[in-house]
Amino acid sequence: MQSKSIAVIVVAAGKGERAGLDGNVIPKQYRSLLGVPVLSRTIAAFLAHEQVSQVIAVINDEHRQQYDALELEDVRLLPPVAGGASRQASVLEGLKALAPLRPDLVLIQDAARPFATVELIGNVIAALQQADGALPTLPITDTIKRSRDGHEVSGTEDRRQLSAAQTPQGFRFGQIFSAHMRAGNVRRDFTDDAEIAEWAGLRVAMVKGDPNNIKLTHPQDFVRAEHILLGDARMETRIGTGYDVHSFEPGDAVWLGGVRIPHHSKLNGHSDADVALHALTDAILGAIGEGDIGVHFPPSDPQWKGAASSIFLKHAGELVARAGGRIVNCDVTIVAEAPKISPYAPAMCAEIAETLGISVRRVAVKATTNEKLGFIGREEGIVAMASASVEMPRGE
C-alpha cells in the first residue's frame, strides 16, 4: 500500500455557527484551540502521516483571508478550493480538484475533527486493501428510540446493529468520484461519503474508531477538546501584573488598548507607546516567568521604532500557547485625566481579545482619573496597570 498515491480532502466550507461561544462568531474551523486554529490541527494530523501524498482543503470563499492567515506550509499541501452549498457539493469540488493528479486513494475528513491519529488514519488506509471504502466507527451504547412525530416513542432500535460514523472516510478515488458525480444528479442530502458509497453499491468496511476523535459542533465540545489536548497534565493558575507609564508629547492622537484615540497630544515612546498593551504584555509575560517587554523587544533595537504594540501582546500570547497554557482573563486599568477613555473601552476589549485569540468576555478595560493630582492630574502622561490570569501545566 505504500506505493499507492493517497490524497486527503479536508472539508472546511461550513460556517460552524452552532459552535459559537461567548459571542464568538469565528467559524469553528478557524477558532483557536489552545493557541492553534482547529483547521491547522486537522491538516497537520494528515501531514504527519508518511503515506499521505497530497492534502487539499475545501473552504468557503468568504473565509479565504482566514485560511491564508493560517500560514500553512508543506509541499504536499495544495492550494484550497471553494466549496459548494452543501457538504456533499463541497466534497465533489475537492474530488474534481484532485482528479488531474489521479490519486489511487482518497481520505475525506471533516475540518472540525482535529484529533485523527496516525494510527487511525493508517487503519483506514489498510482496510482499503480489501474494501472499496472504509470508515472508523464507534458502537452505540445508549438505547436508541425511534419516533414518527418527535414527541411520542414509536419503537426501539437494536443498538447491536448500530454504530456512530467518524472521519476520515477512505475510498478508491475513481470509485468514489464516479459515485459522487452520479449522486449529485439524484440526491443532494447524503449525510456523509460512506452513504454515497453504499448507495452506489460499493463495499464499505468499518474499522475501530477513536473516542477522542470528536467533531467540534457545540460550545461544550471545545471544552472537551481542551481536556483531550491537555491529557492528564495538572494545571495551575498563575497571576501576573504589569505597570507602565508614558509622558505626553506634541501630536494628534494616542494609542491605547490597540485603539487610536484623537487627542491634542500623543504618548512618547520607542514604539507606538500604547501604555495599556505594554502593561498587559508585561502581566502575561510575568505570569509565565518570561521577563518583560524589554527582554523580548529591546527599545535599543531600531526595528521596533513606531511598532504597533499588538505585536508585543501577540508574542506574549503565543508564548503561553507554546507552553501548553491558556489565558483565563485579562484586566487593564488606565489612569488619565484626558482623553476620555470609557467610550473606547469596548473597542479596546475587542482588539485585545482578537490579538490573544480569546473571548472578549475574558477581557476587561477600565478607566479612571487621578482627581487632578500629580503628573497625571496635570495631564503630563498616562499610567496603565494590568493583571493576567493564566493556566499552565504544573511544573516540578
Side-chain angles (χ1 to χ4, degrees):
M1 190 60 72
Q2 289 187 357
S3 61
K4 297 284 187 181
S5 172
I6 303 172
V8 178
I9 296 173
V10 178
V11 189
K15 294 185 176 180
E17 295 171 338
R18 286 180 292 174
L21 180 65
D22 291 344
N24 197 326
V25 296
I26 300 173
K28 63 184 178 183
Q29 60 269 40
Y30 298 101
R31 277 188 53 187
S32 176
L33 189 54
L34 292 187
V36 180
V38 170
L39 182 54
S40 296
R41 291 186 180 275
T42 303
I43 291 174
F46 287 88
L47 293 174
H49 200 289
E50 61 181 10
Q51 291 181 260
V52 169
S53 308
Q54 301 99 14
V55 176
I56 188 169
V58 183
I59 66 173
N60 189 315
D61 253 348
E62 297 177 3
H63 303 159
R64 182 56 192 258
Q65 187 174 1
Q66 289 163 296
Y67 179 86
D68 291 341
L70 300 179
E71 298 183 345
L72 303 172
E73 293 184 7
D74 192 289
V75 294
R76 293 173 294 165
L77 183 60
L78 304 177
V81 295
S86 66
R87 184 189 185 281
Q88 180 180 341
S90 293
V91 172
L92 181 56
E93 292 303 317
L95 291 168
K96 288 178 180 178
L98 289 174
L101 301 177
R102 303 178 66 181
D104 297 300
L105 306 176
V106 61
L107 306 182
I108 303 172
Q109 171 75 356
D110 293 328
R113 289 189 190 270
F115 298 125
T117 63
V118 169
E119 180 182 9
L120 182 66
I121 296 168
N123 288 342
V124 172
I125 294 172
L128 294 175
Q129 294 181 8
Q130 304 296 328
D132 303 320
L135 76 158
T137 64
L138 290 175
I140 300 294
T141 57
D142 294 326
T143 297
I144 305 300
K145 298 295 182 180
R146 182 174 60 255
S147 174
R148 294 187 181 91
D149 60 7
H151 300 287
E152 184 175 325
V153 173
S154 58
T156 301
E157 302 289 346
D158 183 357
R159 67 186 181 191
R160 294 172 298 179
Q161 299 183 35
L162 301 176
S163 296
Q166 299 182 329
T167 63
Q169 298 183 0
F171 308 91
R172 295 171 184 172
F173 182 82
Q175 290 179 325
I176 195 64
F177 190 15
S178 175
H180 256 280
M181 291 290 286
R182 289 184 285 126
N185 296 323
V186 178
R187 282 176 51 190
R188 300 182 185 277
D189 61 346
F190 287 97
T191 57
D192 70 358
D193 306 288
E195 186 182 8
I196 291 178
E198 298 158 29
W199 170 84
L202 302 179
R203 294 180 302 111
V204 180
M206 298 191 302
V207 301
K208 183 180 179 182
D210 184 345
N212 285 338
N213 184 29
I214 64 172
K215 185 176 182 181
L216 305 178
T217 303
H218 302 288
Q220 60 267 29
D221 296 330
F222 278 81
V223 177
R224 183 181 172 193
E226 289 187 357
H227 291 163
I228 291 172
L229 287 170
L230 294 172
D232 295 328
R234 297 175 61 194
M235 304 295 286
E236 63 182 10
T237 300
R238 302 182 185 178
I239 306 296
T241 61
Y243 175 94
D244 198 28
V245 57
H246 283 279
S247 61
F248 282 122
E249 66 179 11
D252 60 1
V254 295
W255 282 94
L256 288 172
V259 176
R260 186 179 186 275
I261 302 176
H263 192 49
H264 56 66
S265 302
K266 69 174 183 176
L267 290 172
N268 177 29
H270 185 64
S271 62
D272 62 5
D274 190 326
V275 65
L277 293 192
H278 290 183
L280 181 55
T281 301
D282 274 349
I284 295 172
L285 292 174
I288 62 176
E290 286 286 348
D292 59 19
I293 289 181
V295 173
H296 300 267
F297 304 96
S300 58
D301 191 335
Q303 69 173 308
W304 307 121
K305 179 67 175 177
S309 296
S310 58
I311 296 173
F312 312 151
L313 183 63
K314 184 176 182 180
H315 175 72
E318 289 172 346
L319 289 179
V320 173
R322 288 178 205 163
R326 74 182 187 99
I327 297 171
V328 178
N329 78 295
C330 301
D331 187 16
V332 180
T333 298
I334 301 171
V335 187
E337 297 296 330
K340 192 170 181 60
I341 306 299
S342 296
Y344 299 93
M348 294 183 198
C349 290
E351 287 291 327
I352 291 169
E354 182 177 355
T355 301
L356 293 174
I358 62 177
S359 165
V360 71
R361 293 180 63 181
R362 296 183 181 273
V363 181
V365 173
K366 308 185 299 294
T368 187
T369 69
N370 217 40
E371 299 295 339
K372 303 294 184 179
L373 300 176
F375 74 92
I376 298 175
R378 295 191 297 271
E379 298 188 28
E380 295 174 2
I382 294 179
V383 162
M385 298 169 285
S387 64
S389 175
V390 178
E391 279 191 350
M392 296 285 285
R394 188 182 299 276
E396 294 182 2

